[in-house]
Each structure stands twice: as structure tokens, then as C-alpha cells.
């Protein structure tokens, strides 16, 4: 029996993503891009959307993080076994890589919604006996290796993914490219839409670009240059071959280097950024294309602590399927909400002690910074003035917990992690902890158990930042630079607090000064002296952010604005 048979008559949308956060045990994700894709899949299942997700198997994960005694990040593979969670399906397909035939085995994972519907996730795997040893590892490690390795991975995802869907019998009408990694799928579609030359009539393209463009939509997720893959055309030709003639490809993807984002934009009828500010930034980066906006959201049921979930379920039974009903969460008794939060905080404090041996207290506010550890996110900003932190802590004691990985080749980010550990050892009077190997399971503990969620990137480099949304679902208050989604979600003194002003001085010095001043004079006094107001703000965060910044709203907008052709 063909395991995908139940989906063939309905699924008309294919969501292609390099990574996806399905569950903690499946290491098919690296960070925010993958977790966003996972939440999109969960809401797609909730909403019974006719969609199939396509990604890489990534048997060795991204990187498992350990921290040595000097604060150095130690990288290692993070393996998992597809056999334990997914089922091999159908016949294998091939792609040509460096002139060799490379076989791809598809695996099926069926993601089930609590409401009963389920959707297919196809994982592409080159680790099969039919391949040479050097090709078995193409899909093993997420974002690993050099540019040539990335070309191979992205060829498997894009070209191989289209061929797998066709071989399985899917009739896809819309392809959603989640970031530029999937743009090679456009080459597979162009190859299906070659134009027969008309004698005597000049034709700039040998392919029906309009037909391909009508099938594709594209979401860009970052203004950071490293997030927009670009490759040397000679490497593309050597690895992918002449599936599409290079001179034709240059007309779509750039003259000097193949820019995957530009290729995706050239061949998509709809493109969007992931927050209003990010769309404005992306529009400046790509002025020749129209960039629309669909602000990201997170899957509320996945990222809400069970104690808070059941508290709200008793009050608003259907909010899990209709998150906009969270507007009614202001009816929750303040004492009940505080008790539920304290339960989540106790669990986080216990995990911190069990993991890194740092003891924390239930009585002092717990500030959390948990992001990818890289320069533009400025994870060390709160350590700009250690004496200032000491002075604030004497007046209003607080605690800090941090987590986050650096990419194995991000030496600046690794240096920041080392510096953070040095500062934590220096500030012995303040309880501080860095928990290694940030993943989905740890993220849930942090977003539900912290009191304050800190985020201070260099604007406008934060595209969206969904971790703050997840924290708000639990009544955790955001304290963030006005960038990404927080410009839309921040109501000062209601849903949280801003660091700096929109359009103000974005320097680290200015933001650090505003952070210290507001922490000492607003945030901590409110926690200690006006607890009722603090709990009221927790309620406002759940109602105003949970009801709007959720992935159900996000996927409804994709369905009506991107997937349905006008």
C-alpha cells in the first residue's frame, strides 16, 4: 500500500524547508527557521490545510553543544534515527550531482493534530547503500560543510524534492519556498516548462517563466547577508550540471553569483517578509520585487505550559483551535494565573540546578536570554557594565538564565559565549546560569518558567523572533529592542517594555543604558512592589499577543493571500 495515498486526492500545496522542528527527539532543525516551519505544520494540521511538507532527514542533526570549563563551545553531531519515527515510502528517485547518480529515499512522518487531522512531512535521505560513501552524507548534517556541500544539500531538497512528490503521485499547484535554500526547486519546474523555439522569433528565455512563477510563493526570513545563500556559477554547473543553462540562469539569479533569494523572487508570484518592519527592510534589499507582509506566529498549544493551558481551557474550551479566543483570558483569576506560572518557574529552577548545578530562588525575578549566539543578536549586551548590574542587584535582586548555540563556523559567536561565561564567573553575587544544547524541550521550559524575556538585537536585523511570542503565551513579559514582531506587539507597560525607541540611537551603548535604567526603575520595582500590576500585565500579554501572534492566524493568511491565486 502507498502510505501517502490518503493525501494524494487533497494535498495541492508543498511547503519546502531546509529544516523543521517537528519534535525534540527528531533533530531536523537548527533554530528559528525550523521551529517556525514546525509551527506552520502544526497549524496546517489544525486547520486541515491541503499541504505536504518537504525537508531533509538530517540524521546527524545540526550540532550538539557542550561547554567546557573555560566557556568554550564544543561541537558534535546530534544523531537521531529516522527509523524510530518515520516510515520509508515509495520508490527512490535520483538527482545528478557532479556527474554521479545520487539516490534519494523519502521517509514519511505523519504529524497529527489534537483535533484529528494529520498532514504528511516528507524527509529526504541520501544515506542509502546505493550511493557512494561521499554521497551518503549529503543529507546527514544540517548546514554543515562549505559552499559546495550546501549546493549539494539544496539540490537534493529542491530538485530531489520535486521529483519525490511527482514520483509519489502528488499533483502540486503551489510550492512554498521557506527561505532561499529551496530555490533549486524552481530549476526542476523550469525543466518541465521548456519553450519550443519559433523560427525567426527571438526569445530571451528558453523556459516558460510565467508558468513556473504562477506555481511558487516565497518567504524570506532574514536581512542578514549570511541568510541569503549565493554560489559561484562554476560550482553550480559542476555540481548540478546543465539542468538549466547557466546563461539563462544568470538572467534570473544574478550576473556574478547565483543568489538563491533572487532566484526565488524571480520565479515567485508572491513574496513576503515575516514582520512589517522586516518586509520594509527586505523591500529595500530587493527593490525590483514586491515584498508583502505576513507576520510570523507560534503554535500556542505547543509552547504553552500545561498548567496555563488547562487553566485557560477550563475558561475558554475552544481556544486551542481558535486562538483569538485568548482575548477572553483576562477573565482568569490573578491568583490562579500566578500559581500556574510559579509551577512552571519551579520546574525551570529544578532543571537549571539538575543541569548546571546553579541554585536559584522562586522569590527573585528570573530574566532569560535564549537565542542563537551570534554577533548581531548581541547576547552579551546585558554585561556591558558589570558594576551597574551589581548595584541594581543590591537594590532589587534578580537572576539570569541564558541558552543558545553558535554555528560551528561562527567564531565571533563562540567568542561571545566564552565572554558570557567569564562574566558569569565574575558576577558571583548574582545567580546566573548558561544551559547548553538549546533545543525544543529546553525552549519550552524557558519560555514558560522565566519572568522576563530579553531580546536586544541590532535593528533592523531581527526579522521576527518568535521566541518572545512563545514567552507571552505563558504570561512572561517581553523586554526587547523595537525590531521584528515586537514593534507590532509592544504596548509599553502593558504587554512588556521596549529597549530604546523606534528610530532612536541603535548603538550598544545607548541600548545598554536604556536597559539598565528601565530594569532598575521600572521592571524590578514593579515585580517587587506592585505584584498585582505585574500579574495584570501577564494577562495582557496572553490576551493581546496570544490572540494575534499565533501560527493559526499566520497560516490562514498564507492560505488566503499566498496560496490562493488571484
Amino acid at each position: 500500500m502507498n502510505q501517502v495515498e490518503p493525501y494524494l486526492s487533497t494535498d495541492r500545496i508543498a511547503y519546502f524547508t531546509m529544516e523543521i522542528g517537528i519534535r525534540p527527539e527528531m533533530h531536523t532543525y537548527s533554530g528559528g527557521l525550523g521551529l517556525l516551519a514546525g509551527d506552520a505544520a502544526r497549524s496546517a494540521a489544525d486547520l486541515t490545510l491541503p499541504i505536504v511538507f518537504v525537508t531533509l532527514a538530517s540524521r546527524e542533526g545540526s550540532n550538539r553543544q557542550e561547554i567546557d570549563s573555560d566557556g568554550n563551545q564544543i561541537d558534535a553531531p546530534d544523531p537521531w534515527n529516522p527509523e524510530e519515527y518515520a516510515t520509508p515510502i515509495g520508490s527512490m528517485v535520483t538527482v545528478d550531482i557532479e556527474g554521479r547518480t545520487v539516490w534519494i529515499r523519502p521517509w514519511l512522518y505523519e504529524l497529527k493534530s489534537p483535533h484529528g487531522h494529520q498532514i504528511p512531512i516528507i524527509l529526504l535521505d541520501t544515506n542509502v547503500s546505493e550511493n557512494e560513501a561521499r554521497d551518503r552524507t549529503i543529507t546527514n548534517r544540517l548546514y554543515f560543510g562549505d559552499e559546495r556541500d550546501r549546493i549539494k544539500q539544496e539540490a537534493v531538497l529542491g530538485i530531489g524534492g520535486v521529483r519525490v512528490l511527482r514520483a509519489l503521485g502528488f499533483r502540486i499547484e503551489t510550492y512554498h519556498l521557506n527561505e532561499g535554500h529551496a530555490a533549486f526547486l524552481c530549476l526542476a519546474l523550469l525543466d518541465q516548462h521548456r519553450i519550443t523555439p519559433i523560427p525567426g522569433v527571438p526569445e530571451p528565455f528558453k523556459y516558460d517563466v510565467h508558468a513556473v512563477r504562477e506555481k511558487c510563493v516565497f518567504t524570506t526570513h532574514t536581512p542578514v547577508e549570511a541568510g541569503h545563500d549565493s554560489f559561484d556559477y562554476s560550482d553550480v554547473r559542476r555540481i548540478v550540471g546543465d539542468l538549466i543553462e547557466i546563461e539563462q540562469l544568470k538572467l534570473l539569479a544574478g550576473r556574478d553569483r547565483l543568489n538563491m533569494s533572487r532566484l526565488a523572487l524571480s520565479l515567485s508570484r508572491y513574496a513576503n517578509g515575516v514582520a512589517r518592519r522586516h518586509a520594509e527592510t527586505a523591500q529595500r534589499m530587493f527593490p525590483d520585487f514586491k515584498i508583502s507582509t505576513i507576520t510570523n506566529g507560534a503554535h500556542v498549544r505547543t509552547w504553552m505550559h500545561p498548567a496555563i493551558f488547562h487553566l485557560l481551557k477550563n475558561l475558554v474550551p475552544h481556544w486551542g483551535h481558535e486562538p483569538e479566543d485568548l482575548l477572553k483570558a483576562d477573565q482568569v483569576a490573578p491568583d490562579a494565573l500566578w500559581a500556574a506560572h510559579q509551577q512552571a518557574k519551579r520546574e525551570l529552577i529544578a532543571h537549571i540546578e539538575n543541569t548546571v548545578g546553579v541554585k536559584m530562588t522562586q522569590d527573585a525575578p528570573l530574566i532569560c536570554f535564549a537565542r542563537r549566539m551570534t554577533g548581531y543578536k548581541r547576547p552579551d549586551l546585558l554585561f556591558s557594565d558589570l558594576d551597574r548590574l551589581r548595584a541594581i542587584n543590591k537594590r532589587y535582586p534578580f537572576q539570569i538564565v541564558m541558552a543558545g548555540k553558535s554555528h560551528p563556523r561562527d567564531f565571533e559567536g563562540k567568542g561571545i559565549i566564552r565572554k558570557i561565561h567569564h562574566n558569569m564567573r565574575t558576577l558571583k553575587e548574582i545567580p546566573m546560569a548558561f544551559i547548553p544544547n538549546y533545543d525544543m524541550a529546553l525552549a519550552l521550559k524557558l519560555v514558560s518558567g522565566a519572568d522576563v524575556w530579553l531580546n536586544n538585537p541590532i535593528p533592523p536585523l531581527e526579522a521576527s523572533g518568535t521566541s518572545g511570542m512563545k514567552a507571552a503565551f505563558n504570561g512572561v513579559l517581553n523586554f526587547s529592542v523595537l525590531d521584528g514582531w515586537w514593534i507590532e506587539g509592544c504596548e509599553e507597560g502593558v504587554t512588556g517594555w521596549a529597549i530604546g525607541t523606534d528610530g532612536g540611537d541603535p548603538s550598544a551603548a545607548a541600548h545598554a543604558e536604556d536597559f539598565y535604567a528601565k530594569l532598575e526603575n521600572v521592571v524590578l520595582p514593579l515585580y517587587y512592589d506592585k505584584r498585582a500590576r505585574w500579574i495584570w500585565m501577564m494577562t495582557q500579554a496572553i490576551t493581546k499577543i496570544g490572540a494575534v501572534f499565533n501560527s493559526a492566524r499566520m497560516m490562514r493568511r498564507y492560505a488566503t493571500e499566498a496560496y490562493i491565486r488571484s
Side-chain angles (χ1 to χ4, degrees):
M1 176 184 174
N2 184 353
Q3 294 95 329
V4 299
E5 186 69 34
Y7 306 107
L8 299 182
S9 61
T10 57
D11 287 2
R12 293 290 181 266
I13 305 160
Y15 187 111
F16 276 62
T17 181
M18 190 82 157
E19 54 174 298
I20 187 169
I22 304 171
R23 52 192 293 171
E25 304 89 347
M26 298 173 64
H27 305 153
T28 52
Y29 64 97
S30 171
L33 181 72
L35 295 180
L36 185 281
D39 283 352
R42 283 180 273 276
S43 281
D46 292 341
L47 299 170
T48 67
L49 294 183
I51 191 168
V52 53
F53 282 69
V54 180
T55 191
L56 301 182
S58 301
R59 287 173 173 267
E60 294 185 357
S62 174
N63 70 299
R64 180 171 182 82
Q65 180 196 55
E66 297 177 4
I67 305 294
D68 69 13
S69 59
D70 293 322
N72 295 300
Q73 173 174 298
I74 308 300
D75 302 305
D78 199 11
W80 71 287
N81 293 318
E83 295 88 346
E84 296 179 13
Y85 303 96
T87 305
I89 51 171
S91 302
M92 294 191 292
V93 303
T94 65
V95 293
D96 290 335
I97 292 180
E98 295 179 327
R100 301 183 303 279
T101 297
V102 175
W103 291 89
I104 302 171
R105 165 173 289 147
W107 296 83
L108 172 67
Y109 179 87
E110 294 180 285
L111 190 152
K112 299 179 181 179
S113 165
H115 307 293
H117 187 68
Q118 60 189 34
I119 62 167
I121 298 175
I122 307 296
L123 304 114
L124 308 176
D125 186 12
T126 63
N127 195 346
V128 296
S129 59
E130 289 81 357
N131 286 333
E132 296 183 19
R134 55 181 163 174
D135 296 325
R136 294 178 192 174
T137 61
I138 291 175
T139 59
N140 272 11
R141 191 88 177 264
L142 187 59
Y143 302 131
F144 199 72
D146 58 20
E147 280 188 7
R148 290 170 288 279
D149 294 312
R150 291 288 287 275
I151 294 172
K152 295 175 187 178
Q153 285 191 336
E154 294 179 17
V156 169
L157 175 65
I159 300 170
V162 169
R163 292 178 179 175
V164 162
L165 292 180
R166 193 184 313 139
L168 292 174
F170 286 94
R171 298 178 180 271
I172 301 300
E173 296 174 357
T174 298
Y175 294 85
H176 185 168
L177 289 71
N178 190 44
E179 199 53 278
H181 311 120
F184 280 144
L185 77 82
C186 299
L187 304 190
L189 298 180
L190 284 172
D191 189 49
Q192 299 173 29
H193 290 84
R194 292 178 178 266
I195 294 174
T196 303
I198 301 174
V201 177
E203 173 56 57
F205 288 106
K206 297 180 180 179
Y207 311 93
D208 187 347
V209 171
H210 177 74
V212 173
R213 186 178 289 126
E214 282 298 298
K215 294 182 177 182
C216 296
V217 300
F218 170 58
T219 299
T220 178
H221 283 269
T222 180
V224 179
E225 184 178 355
H228 299 270
D229 287 341
S230 67
F231 303 125
D232 188 280
Y233 278 110
S234 61
D235 288 333
V236 174
R237 171 177 284 170
R238 182 175 59 82
I239 295 169
V240 180
D242 289 325
L243 182 67
I244 300 299
E245 293 89 335
I246 294 296
E247 288 306 312
Q248 296 278 297
L249 191 53
K250 288 181 178 180
L251 297 173
L252 300 166
R255 293 302 308 174
D256 300 325
R257 285 173 65 84
L258 190 157
N259 184 293
M260 294 293 275
S261 295
R262 181 165 291 275
L263 176 60
L265 286 165
S266 295
L267 291 170
S268 295
R269 58 180 163 81
Y270 177 92
N272 71 284
V274 290
R276 293 172 191 164
R277 177 56 50 84
H278 172 238
E280 295 168 2
T281 304
Q283 188 66 75
R284 291 193 294 272
M285 294 173 63
F286 300 103
D288 298 334
F289 304 93
K290 181 185 177 185
I291 309 295
S292 299
T293 300
I294 297 180
T295 300
N296 277 347
H299 192 253
V300 183
R301 188 184 184 101
T302 296
W303 298 107
M304 183 178 280
H305 188 275
I308 296 179
F309 173 83
H310 290 298
L311 186 66
L312 293 173
K313 187 177 181 182
N314 291 335
L315 177 69
V316 191
H318 303 293
W319 76 262
H321 188 59
E322 299 176 345
E324 55 269 27
D325 278 354
L326 286 173
L327 286 168
K328 301 174 184 177
D330 58 1
Q331 301 173 31
V332 173
D335 290 347
L337 178 59
W338 184 251
H341 171 67
Q342 291 300 98
Q343 179 180 334
K345 186 174 180 179
R346 278 193 297 274
E347 293 172 9
L348 174 57
I349 288 173
H351 182 77
I352 293 170
E353 184 171 1
N354 292 337
T355 305
V356 294
V358 176
K359 293 185 178 181
M360 294 193 173
T361 175
Q362 198 80 10
D363 299 327
L366 184 53
I367 301 170
C368 180
F369 183 100
R371 308 299 306 257
R372 184 160 51 88
M373 292 285 159
T374 193
Y376 82 89
K377 292 185 182 290
R378 301 189 299 195
D380 55 343
L381 185 103
L382 75 161
F383 297 110
S384 298
D385 187 337
L386 302 189
D387 289 336
R388 188 78 176 272
L389 280 178
R390 290 188 181 98
I392 295 171
N393 183 65
K394 285 182 179 179
R395 291 189 65 198
Y396 297 106
F398 60 90
Q399 309 164 107
I400 294 174
V401 60
M402 303 184 75
K405 302 176 182 179
S406 284
H407 187 278
R409 294 195 301 274
D410 185 354
F411 300 107
E412 179 190 16
K414 289 183 174 182
I416 292 172
I417 292 175
R418 188 164 51 249
K419 180 181 176 183
I420 286 171
H421 280 81
H422 172 75
N423 288 328
M424 286 184 171
R425 288 192 294 269
T426 301
L427 290 167
K428 294 180 180 179
E429 57 270 71
I430 303 175
M432 296 186 181
F434 188 103
I435 307 180
N437 207 43
Y438 187 36
D439 64 1
M440 287 180 69
L442 174 57
L444 179 56
K445 290 182 172 64
L446 293 171
V447 298
S448 59
D451 292 297
V452 176
W453 196 260
L454 181 62
N455 187 30
N456 41 245
I458 301 172
L461 298 181
E462 177 82 314
S464 181
T466 58
S467 62
M469 303 173 187
K470 299 163 189 171
F473 298 164
N474 293 282
V476 176
L477 301 180
N478 277 266
F479 190 12
S480 175
V481 165
L482 286 169
D483 199 11
W485 77 279
W486 187 232
I487 298 176
E488 302 168 46
C490 178
E491 292 185 39
E492 186 72 13
V494 178
T495 57
W497 306 274
I499 297 173
T501 59
D502 186 18
D505 184 353
S507 68
H511 279 172
E513 174 56 35
D514 197 58
F515 164 72
Y516 290 135
K518 197 167 285 186
L519 180 67
E520 181 173 17
N521 300 315
V522 178
V523 178
L524 296 178
L526 187 71
Y527 183 89
Y528 280 106
D529 302 332
K530 298 180 181 179
R531 184 63 53 80
R533 176 73 182 187
W534 184 281
I535 299 172
W536 177 83
M537 286 183 65
M538 292 174 62
T539 303
Q540 297 304 304
I542 296 172
T543 60
K544 293 177 178 290
I545 293 174
V548 177
F549 296 93
N550 58 75
S551 51
R553 182 267 313 156
M554 177 185 75
M555 292 308 291
R556 287 190 184 110
R557 287 196 62 188
Y558 275 115
T560 57
E561 298 174 35
Y563 299 157
I564 296 177
R565 302 181 194 182
S566 57

